[in-house]
Amino acid sequence: MKLLFAIVQDEDAGKVMSELNKNGFMVTKLASTGGFLKSGNTTLLMGIDEQYLKDVLAIIETHSKSRKQIVNASNSLSGGNIMMPITTEITVGGATVFIIDVEVYKKF
Ligand code: 2BA
């Protein structure tokens, strides 16, 4: 069995979860926050039999979109007396996935 963590954007989480459930996969949704943007995202936690890993990854990939986002930063000039606003565009998503071997899986 594998333990899968998938970090997806909040906008995609509902669709990803409903498609996973529709196909018989159990999911736990965790509310999470990205360290860079400091905005909310969703971490999906799943225990999966190895034979279904490909199917699960295909569902996550299909329903996780990548989006451009403008990020505001600022740069100080003249020893910190003048602040220059800077904007830069980044691409967020589709999904970031971590897969770990599960040693023991029990339900009581
Ligand atoms: P955030 O940390 O809020 O990052 C949002 C997006 O900002 C990232 O999209 C990436 O495009 C950019 N970014 C992040 N750190 C950066 C940096 N130091 N310099 C420049 N740009 C940076 P994604 O890569 O699609 O990541 C989306 C979210 O997935 C992240 O939100 C974070 O919550 C999670 N994540 C991604 N990679 C991770 C990793 N290796 N470990 C843990 N969490 C990760």
Side-chain angles (χ1 to χ4, degrees):
M1 175 174 254
K2 300 283 184 185
L3 177 62
L4 185 147
F5 292 93
I7 304 165
V8 300
Q9 292 176 70
D10 287 345
E11 295 91 326
D12 298 325
K15 183 72 180 167
V16 172
M17 283 193 348
S18 65
E19 288 299 317
L20 288 167
N21 282 154
K22 219 187 278 177
N23 286 276
F25 300 112
M26 288 178 69
V27 190
T28 297
K29 177 183 184 236
L30 308 172
S32 45
T33 304
F36 188 70
L37 293 177
K38 299 188 172 43
S39 61
N41 54 28
T42 297
T43 300
L44 303 177
L45 175 74
M46 305 181 66
I48 306 157
D49 273 344
E50 212 159 336
Q51 57 177 323
Y52 298 121
L53 200 53
K54 259 197 192 158
D55 302 325
V56 166
L57 291 174
I59 292 170
I60 294 170
E61 186 176 3
T62 302
H63 299 287
S64 300
K65 301 195 175 76
S66 70
R67 296 179 178 86
K68 304 269 183 214
Q69 198 159 326
I70 303 293
V71 178
N72 287 310
S74 55
N75 197 17
S76 62
L77 298 176
S78 305
N81 293 329
I82 303 168
M83 292 300 281
M84 282 284 294
I86 299 169
T87 60
T88 181
E89 187 181 74
I90 58 165
T91 304
V92 187
T96 300
V97 177
F98 300 89
I99 301 167
I100 301 165
D101 288 324
V102 173
E103 207 168 302
V104 181
Y105 170 64
K106 278 189 194 298
K107 280 190 174 185
F108 296 106

